[in-house]
Amino acid sequence: MTHASTPLRPSGVATPALNALLARERERYTQRNPRSQVQATRAGAHLMFGVPLHWMNDWGTPFALQVAGAQGARLTDLDGHRLADFCLGDTGAMFGHSPRVVTEALQRQAALGLTTMLPNEDGSVVSELLAQRFGLPQWQFAMTATDANRFVLRWIRAATRRSVLLVFNGCYHGTVSDVFVDLVDGKPVQRDSLLGQVHDLTATTRVVEFNDLQALEAALAPGDVACVLAEPVMTNIGMVLPQEGFWQKAQALIQKHGAMLVMDETHTISSGPGGYARAHGLSPDAVVVGKPLGGGMPCAAYGFTAELAARAVQAKRLAPPGHSGVGTTLTANLLAMAAMRATLSQLMTEETFAPMHALAGTLAEGLRRVIAQHRMPWCVTQVGARVEFQFCPAAPRNGTEAGNAMDAELEHAIHLYLLNRKVLITPFHNMMLICPDTTAHDVQRLLQGLEAFLLECRDGMQ
Ligand SMILES: Cc1ncc(COP(=O)(O)O)c(C=O)c1O
């Protein structure tokens, strides 16, 4: 029972108990990771922010955990702790760290050239496999999902001769500037955290709530929308599932108003080898895949229907000679193509996904049990191999509801508590991913960690 004087946060925990736990776990982290601390201090000399990418400070740890190695579902830190990794590089390592088939392919290719700005046989094979998996006939590549999204927007704006992009509130599609427009009190507002943003994004980006067909139709009605760029399930503001029939009706509206539907499957590829769209019988005009596509190597791809591809090719033919604004020098390099060939042919298969989905189901059920036992107002959502718990009693229906359910301090406390007990989950929200090497024991360890956290939190509230 809580003291009458200690109100609970909407997430169901009391602030004093949370703060005390967080302070203790930060201290414990520092004690447990002396080598990481030395290395992090050294890195501070010449790395801005002390890390190679400033996001690496966003884990809520007193200093960045330093990696000694990663293999399968394990990440070993510099102080020798072997962590059960449910973050998996935020999906880059969804098929496990350093999968053998990929490292062997990389070794073979490394002796035969790394990058040439010319194709080899892998290009044909990879595009055939992508066409098979995703049901779209025409493909191009990028180094990151961010770039793939950026390039798709360019192609579709050129092909449709329309300028407006339509996205869902709370979306994330990488660091593509165009998408950073939020709905605030029903009005589009450019995100003010963006650095160096000099263009008014609201001029060409429209934003509506997910699952809101009326708002979608109103935003499409002017007839200037080039495409709707969306994850089939929102996964970056916590998870938001599409309501029954939403996508069928949304796509009919999108078609009616002459726009294209682009599905960004970078995270929802956790649904199976053809992503969420294939698993649920959806047929977007374009698909983007990144992160795990090269088994952890930087590469991404985007596919078009024959009709959209023909329009994109025509736009290129009609454009004056010169830079298209699509592509980067190392895109589709030989190493990346070899990695994608190995991943697509040997890892991105039904056989690989089936046990991942089953274990994710066990995790989701276990989380629901722990949450129910402790009467927390939280819910759990599973999308294939991906599981998320959110601090709201019912699954959110849109980005605003999902955003309102977030509690950054509570998230930090849970993540740090688990990390101190050798379980790693994704920062920014409560996402857990199962890879082929994750064991039932790893799942139990995670569940026991969360249970212990909730017990201590409750004790602190008494
Ligand atoms: C749905 C989605 N699309 C694109 C991206 C961008 O991927 P990357 O950072 O690898 O470019 C992300 C990253 O989290 C994502 O979640």
Side-chain angles (χ1 to χ4, degrees):
M1 292 302 293
T2 53
H3 291 297
S5 57
T6 318
L8 295 184
R9 304 152 79 94
S11 53
V13 299
T15 302
L18 185 60
N19 286 345
L21 235 160
L22 198 48
R24 194 197 69 195
E25 291 303 320
R26 289 173 74 82
E27 180 54 31
R28 181 172 292 185
Y29 176 89
T30 303
Q31 296 301 326
R32 282 172 59 82
N33 294 290
R35 290 204 179 102
S36 268
Q37 187 168 25
V38 169
Q39 174 59 33
T41 306
R42 172 183 166 195
H46 295 290
L47 286 172
M48 272 170 71
F49 304 99
V51 281
L53 170 65
H54 72 88
W55 307 351
M56 291 176 179
N57 283 331
D58 292 347
W59 286 76
T61 49
F63 46 85
L65 189 74
Q66 308 281 324
V67 177
Q71 181 66 58
R74 296 279 157 269
L75 185 148
T76 306
D77 67 31
L78 207 52
D79 288 278
H81 308 118
R82 279 166 54 79
L83 312 174
D85 187 0
F86 289 88
C87 169
L88 297 166
D90 195 10
T91 312
M94 190 180 78
F95 297 114
H97 292 289
S98 294
R100 192 177 48 80
V101 293
V102 175
T103 56
E104 285 176 359
L106 291 176
Q107 275 164 13
R108 278 195 302 275
Q109 185 58 51
L112 296 169
L114 304 178
T115 191
T116 52
M117 228 175 65
L118 282 169
N120 65 1
E121 188 201 32
D122 287 346
S124 308
V125 174
V126 170
S127 62
E128 286 156 16
L129 289 166
L130 285 166
Q132 233 175 53
R133 297 285 193 284
F134 292 91
L136 289 171
Q138 295 290 306
W139 290 84
Q140 284 281 280
F141 297 91
M143 297 294 288
T144 64
T146 296
D147 268 349
N149 280 319
R150 227 189 317 259
F151 300 157
V152 165
L153 290 185
R154 236 177 224 287
W155 283 121
I156 294 184
R157 280 175 164 150
T160 60
R161 296 168 182 264
R162 291 179 174 194
S163 59
V164 176
L165 165 67
L166 207 161
V167 293
F168 292 107
N169 188 36
C171 71
Y172 183 73
H173 297 283
T175 53
V176 182
S177 298
D178 298 75
V179 309
F180 292 114
V181 178
D182 298 316
L183 262 188
V184 180
D185 300 328
K187 302 243 160 21
V189 176
Q190 185 158 317
R191 202 163 298 172
D192 57 15
S193 58
L194 282 184
L195 297 174
Q197 183 62 49
V198 294
H199 302 292
D200 174 13
L201 301 172
T202 60
T204 47
T205 299
R206 221 160 274 157
V207 55
V208 298
E209 291 288 8
F210 197 57
N211 280 321
D212 186 342
L213 288 166
Q214 235 182 337
L216 178 68
E217 171 131 55
L220 289 163
D224 54 359
V225 173
C227 68
V228 173
L229 171 61
E231 290 188 272
V233 177
M234 296 187 80
T235 69
N236 280 288
I237 186 147
M239 269 201 301
V240 185
L241 288 169
Q243 284 168 352
E244 189 66 36
F246 170 73
W247 275 122
Q248 286 76 8
K249 290 181 193 140
Q251 191 164 16
L253 291 175
I254 292 166
Q255 276 166 357
K256 177 176 147 197
H257 291 283
M260 298 286 155
L261 173 59
V262 182
M263 285 196 159
D264 179 352
E265 295 266 18
T266 301
H267 275 179
T268 46
I269 189 67
S270 61
S271 306
Y276 186 95
R278 211 78 206 281
H280 292 82
L282 308 175
S283 36
D285 301 287
V287 157
V288 168
V289 225
K291 295 198 185 182
L293 186 60
M297 283 292 289
C299 34
Y302 53 98
F304 289 163
T305 57
E307 192 234 326
L308 176 55
R311 289 173 72 182
V313 169
Q314 180 70 353
K316 174 74 182 120
R317 288 210 178 105
L318 293 177
H323 291 129
S324 63
V326 175
T328 58
T329 313
L330 270 68
T331 286
N333 67 71
L334 298 178
L335 213 49
M337 299 312 293
M340 283 188 278
R341 181 173 180 167
T343 305
L344 274 159
S345 57
Q346 298 186 66
L347 296 173
M348 253 172 84
T349 62
E350 296 288 358
E351 294 71 38
T352 307
F353 274 100
M356 289 162 68
H357 288 178
L359 195 54
T362 307
L363 172 59
E365 275 315 303
L367 288 169
R368 287 189 188 107
R369 181 178 41 74
V370 171
I371 289 167
Q373 263 166 15
H374 291 269
R375 296 200 187 85
M376 298 310 288
W378 301 356
C379 65
V380 176
T381 303
Q382 179 187 355
V383 174
R386 182 181 304 277
V387 180
E388 173 107 25
F389 61 90
Q390 283 158 289
F391 306 132
C392 48
R397 289 164 299 180
N398 57 43
T400 297
E401 288 185 8
N404 288 343
M406 288 182 140
D407 181 335
E409 277 112 28
L410 176 57
E411 254 171 47
H412 274 169
I414 294 174
H415 296 191
L416 193 54
Y417 189 95
L418 291 174
L419 175 51
N420 284 337
R421 285 146 190 86
K422 299 201 273 188
V423 175
L424 195 65
I425 73 173
T426 313
F428 319 131
H429 48 109
N430 298 311
M431 196 277 288
M432 292 143 289
L433 201 56
I434 301 289
C435 77
D437 310 284
T438 311
T439 64
H441 181 256
D442 295 330
V443 167
Q444 287 316 315
R445 185 140 40 114
L446 195 163
L447 293 172
Q448 281 159 8
L450 185 67
E451 180 139 38
F453 175 88
L454 287 173
L455 276 172
E456 288 200 43
C457 224
R458 202 185 53 186
D459 285 350
M461 281 153 51
Q462 278 172 348

